[in-house]
Amino acid sequence: MDEKRLLKVFQETRKEIMDVDELSKHIEKEKIMRTALWLSGKELVDIIENKESIAILTEEGKKVLEKGLPERRIAKYLKENDLTSIPIKDLKNILDKDEINAALGNLKKKGIAKIEKGNIIFESLDYEDEEEILLAKLKENPHLSLYNEKERKIIENLKKRGFIKIDEKVERKIKLTEKGKEYIKNPIEIKEEITQLTREDIIGGRWREAYIRPYDVKIPVEEVYPAKMHPLTRIIREVKEVLISMGFKEIKSPIVETEFWNFDVLFEPQDHPAREMQDTFFLKYPTEGDVPEDLLKKVKSIHEDGTIDGVKVSEGWKYKFDENVSRRTVLRTHTTASSIRYLASLSEEEKEKPHKVFCIDRVFRNEAIDYKHLPEFYQCEGIIMDDNVTFDNLVGILKEFLNRLGFEKVRFRPAYFPFTEPSLEAEVYLEGKGWLELLGAGMFRPEVLEPLGIKKPVLAWGIGFSRLAMLKLGLNDIRDLHKNDLDWLKRV
């Protein structure tokens, strides 16, 4: 019945194309697109969509329109105080802390002022700023199609500065097809229609008089987005299921670790670059943590001269080991600490048995944020301990693991890690992208196992979930994994 009502509007108005707003004067607005989809499936109408980008001022953008850009507020302050320059350190009296760096960058970029010996010197305090002019224009005319290429570049910069956001406005029109035009040449009779046959319709005989709509499974319907897990959570669960199906069990360990468990036990020297502030988050409180004294003495000995209880294991690192460094607290930089804690917790009886464990958890590194780095991310670590396990076993297990995750083409190449020898990196092949590194692995060195009293060989591997998630979801920027983009989360 709704389809006939919509076609009857075209018949009565003698129009071939109408937009949704115009049609809503005759039919309930919420029914128009659904009805048009049905008619489109019958090739009686076409749905025409025109998308247009619209600039919307953010709260920060509205504030800038009212008070001026940060760089303009500096110039205004100087003008009011009859000055032409100002020390950078005094900007805190004019701008918010988070505005200062952006203001300095834009003063230089726009050629408004120069910076000499810590002072900002303006060429002119009455300069013209294209960004300010365009921001005011966007408030009145937000349709981006009205602006030329040069103006769009400025608009992109306004977006980067957080003054505007870009939304898409969709205008929909319904147009009669040739088949639809033929159909409305005949009178359209609208009868009572039954879309859901009830018990009362059958008993009362209403079904004899009314038109019963046939059920068409091919008619397009609106997309429904049911509740679901975050894609990263889904991938974590998928990996867990694969590992559990391969005989592994899950373990956990603290997020806050001592340098002893995070570095020392792994035979990483205390002057290793990975321990520096640029890679590791150190805690202000507590600054120290407890370490097992007996194991600490063994690890110290293996670092200094490569011996355990007087028995030579290797050459060691030949430096003075500092026990105070071992007690310092950090946010763990890898989940390998979980594997080492697990091995250290084994009783003498348990050390005689085989073990297959994994840990999936968050790790932290003091990285600059960009398209492939975040300071916090998920990592998966696994180990296998058993009599006579070999490097060949490691290669076979990793190949099976990656195959089960959906990567058919896998290859391995030599690598270096401080706590495994020999070591490898696994790469997977993706169409259009080529070979991509996905995980690192190797066999724990004797310097790692001997202090723990482990006599069996131990295979170890680690995989970054962010890289895995990016590959499986087709992303090019790791930050997209953590944005609250509801449209993307619904579709993915």
Side-chain angles (χ1 to χ4, degrees):
M1 186 163 65
D2 287 334
E3 294 101 306
K4 288 186 176 180
R5 286 175 60 202
L6 185 63
L7 290 170
K8 197 170 180 67
V9 172
F10 282 98
Q11 188 179 62
E12 291 174 349
T13 57
R14 297 185 178 180
K15 293 183 177 179
E16 293 183 7
I17 185 168
M18 300 174 75
D19 63 32
V20 172
D21 288 336
E22 192 174 0
L23 284 166
S24 65
K25 297 174 184 177
H26 308 275
I27 299 176
E28 297 90 332
K29 195 167 187 176
E30 62 273 10
K31 289 185 178 181
I32 293 173
M33 287 310 300
R34 184 183 62 198
T35 305
L37 282 169
W38 287 333
L39 290 171
S40 174
K42 296 176 181 177
E43 298 181 350
L44 294 171
V45 302
D46 287 326
I47 300 170
I48 301 170
E49 288 189 352
N50 290 318
K51 294 183 180 180
E52 186 177 9
S53 296
I54 303 291
I56 300 172
L57 266 65
T58 61
E59 289 303 316
E60 190 64 27
K62 293 173 185 176
K63 174 185 168 184
V64 163
L65 268 185
E66 181 184 345
K67 297 183 177 181
L69 290 167
E71 48 268 34
R72 175 66 71 185
R73 288 178 1 235
I74 299 171
K76 185 179 177 183
Y77 174 86
L78 294 179
K79 192 172 183 180
E80 289 172 350
N81 291 276
D82 198 24
L83 301 168
T84 56
S85 67
I86 183 172
I88 293 174
K89 62 183 177 62
D90 291 345
L91 291 183
K92 62 180 183 294
N93 302 322
I94 307 169
L95 305 176
D96 294 337
K97 187 178 179 181
D98 58 351
E99 294 178 313
I100 293 174
N101 285 339
L104 289 171
N106 279 284
L107 284 171
K108 293 176 70 176
K109 180 180 175 182
K110 297 174 182 178
I112 297 169
K114 56 185 178 181
I115 299 174
E116 294 180 357
K117 297 179 180 178
N119 289 308
I120 304 169
I121 304 167
F122 277 76
E123 302 292 337
S124 169
L125 297 175
D126 295 313
Y127 64 89
E128 193 174 80
D129 194 313
E130 292 179 324
E131 285 188 353
E132 285 180 334
I133 295 168
L134 202 52
L135 199 59
K137 286 174 69 175
L138 286 170
K139 183 182 178 183
E140 302 301 323
N141 298 298
H143 302 274
L144 297 192
S145 58
L146 300 173
Y147 298 92
N148 59 39
E149 187 176 346
K150 180 186 175 183
E151 290 171 323
R152 288 188 189 183
K153 286 181 180 177
I154 299 171
I155 289 169
E156 186 60 33
N157 199 51
L158 289 171
K159 180 186 172 185
K160 288 178 182 176
R161 296 187 71 177
F163 300 146
I164 62 170
K165 61 180 181 179
I166 308 297
D167 273 358
E168 276 195 345
K169 182 180 178 182
V170 182
E171 182 187 50
R172 293 185 176 90
K173 293 185 178 182
I174 314 301
K175 180 182 180 182
L176 287 174
T177 63
E178 292 302 319
K179 186 176 177 180
K181 292 175 190 176
E182 287 298 319
Y183 184 89
I184 66 169
K185 286 180 179 178
N186 302 312
I188 298 174
E189 184 181 357
I190 300 176
K191 294 181 179 179
E192 184 183 7
E193 181 177 271
I194 294 176
T195 56
Q196 186 172 355
L197 197 59
T198 65
R199 178 175 179 273
E200 287 73 21
D201 293 333
I202 296 170
I203 293 173
R206 178 169 169 259
W207 63 273
R208 292 190 179 91
E209 306 298 328
Y211 170 74
I212 300 174
R213 174 193 286 276
Y215 192 81
D216 188 350
V217 295
K218 295 180 181 179
I219 290 177
V221 296
E222 291 185 33
E223 289 190 71
V224 176
Y225 300 105
K228 55 186 174 183
M229 290 183 290
H230 190 281
L232 185 56
T233 303
R234 192 170 71 243
I235 290 171
I236 288 173
R237 291 197 179 187
E238 179 186 344
V239 172
K240 279 187 181 183
E241 288 175 7
V242 168
L243 289 171
I244 290 170
S245 73
M246 292 176 68
F248 289 81
K249 71 175 182 179
E250 187 174 9
I251 58 173
K252 291 287 185 180
S253 71
I255 287 175
V256 174
E257 279 289 10
T258 58
E259 288 202 48
F260 176 77
W261 290 111
N262 199 76
F263 297 118
D264 292 342
V265 186
L266 291 167
F267 197 55
E268 289 194 29
Q270 293 184 330
D271 58 356
H272 194 282
R275 300 196 186 206
E276 297 300 320
M277 288 297 291
Q278 64 264 30
D279 290 319
T280 305
F281 287 109
F282 291 84
L283 269 66
K284 286 186 177 180
Y285 179 83
T287 56
E288 290 189 353
D290 295 330
V291 297
E293 294 300 326
D294 289 345
L295 185 54
L296 175 61
K297 295 290 186 276
K298 293 179 180 180
V299 170
K300 178 180 180 179
S301 179
I302 204 81
H303 273 246
E304 289 185 341
D305 55 26
T307 61
I308 296 288
D309 299 327
V311 178
K312 194 73 171 174
V313 176
S314 74
E315 293 300 313
W317 291 117
K318 303 294 185 184
Y319 73 99
K320 185 64 178 174
F321 186 92
D322 189 343
E323 294 183 11
N324 293 321
V325 169
S326 296
R327 295 185 175 91
R328 292 192 307 197
T329 50
V330 299
L331 291 179
R332 67 176 174 206
T333 60
H334 46 202
T335 47
T336 313
S338 306
S339 303
I340 291 298
R341 275 185 173 271
Y342 177 80
L343 291 174
S345 72
L346 297 177
S347 66
E348 292 303 319
E349 183 182 353
E350 289 171 328
K351 289 175 184 175
E352 297 302 317
K353 299 176 182 178
H355 296 272
K356 292 171 72 175
V357 299
F358 74 93
C359 175
I360 297 177
D361 219 332
R362 287 177 296 162
V363 297
F364 307 84
R365 293 180 189 172
N366 197 2
E367 303 268 18
I369 297 175
D370 60 25
Y371 74 98
K372 61 178 181 178
H373 295 102
L374 288 176
E376 177 182 345
F377 55 96
Y378 275 89
Q379 194 176 58
C380 176
E381 168 88 11
I383 59 169
I384 300 169
M385 183 177 95
D386 201 355
D387 290 317
N388 304 318
V389 289
T390 67
F391 200 63
D392 284 344
N393 296 134
L394 178 62
V395 169
I397 288 164
L398 293 178
K399 188 173 188 303
E400 175 66 17
F401 172 58
L402 293 172
N403 286 163
R404 292 194 187 192
L405 287 176
F407 299 107
E408 295 180 2
K409 295 181 180 179
V410 181
R411 74 179 184 186
F412 303 94
R413 58 184 174 84
Y416 168 77
F417 302 107
F419 42 88
T420 58
E421 180 63 36
S423 306
L424 64 81
E425 286 178 345
E427 297 179 330
V428 297
Y429 185 83
L430 290 184
E431 293 296 334
K433 293 187 176 182
W435 290 98
L436 300 170
E437 178 196 334
L438 197 56
L439 61 79
M443 300 183 72
F444 276 146
R445 296 172 60 135
E447 295 94 336
V448 175
L449 299 178
E450 288 289 342
L452 305 175
I454 303 294
K455 303 300 180 183
K456 299 178 187 291
V458 178
L459 312 177
W461 49 267
I463 182 171
F465 262 99
S466 301
R467 169 63 67 89
L468 176 63
M470 288 171 69
L471 293 180
K472 291 183 77 69
L473 298 171
L475 298 176
N476 294 315
D477 193 322
I478 191 174
R479 292 167 290 193
D480 292 340
L481 267 175
H482 304 280
K483 289 196 305 187
N484 296 322
D485 185 341
L486 291 180
D487 287 336
W488 179 75
L489 290 170
K490 285 176 182 177
R491 293 193 309 270
V492 70

